[in-house]
Amino acid sequence: MDSITIQLTKPITHGEGDKAVTYKELTFREAVLGDLIAGEAVAGGSETGRVAATLAAMADVPYPVFKKMSARDFVRINEATAGLVGNGEADGTN
């Protein structure tokens, strides 16, 4: 499986004015080493922050988008993308 698209239960708007982008779904590709490095670079060093930064990189969205995400969506995404990070089988359900 090369990618998984997850519908968000709560859309996320990032930016202001004409540059604002609303995310209703996110598509995650298989992780590459650079995504894992981006996750490790997150200040604070929390596991949740590392995972969120890695997933943001995999979806090619800014990390602050993930900081606005509902916890419920974050858990669903983390579980559904496990196979794309090498942590299990990604089933593509959303």
Side-chain angles (χ1 to χ4, degrees), residues 49-60:
R50 183 188 64 77
V51 171
T54 299
L55 290 170
M58 290 170 59
D60 295 319

Side-chain angles (χ1 to χ4, degrees), residues 7-45:
Q7 298 291 322
L8 299 175
T9 59
K10 296 181 179 182
I12 300 166
T13 299
H14 179 70
E16 296 182 17
D18 294 342
K19 295 184 181 185
V21 177
T22 298
Y23 298 89
K24 295 181 180 181
E25 65 181 24
L26 297 174
T27 299
F28 299 86
R29 59 172 164 66
E30 183 175 1
V32 296
L33 183 57
D35 300 327
L36 302 177
I37 291 169
E40 291 174 355
V42 171

Side-chain angles (χ1 to χ4, degrees), residues 57-81:
M58 290 170 59
D60 295 319
V61 299
Y63 177 57
V65 169
F66 267 73
K67 293 169 80 175
K68 296 177 182 178
M69 182 179 294
S70 75
R72 179 178 8 166
D73 281 342
F74 178 71
V75 170
R76 287 177 47 243
I77 288 168
N78 194 29
E79 291 172 354
T81 59

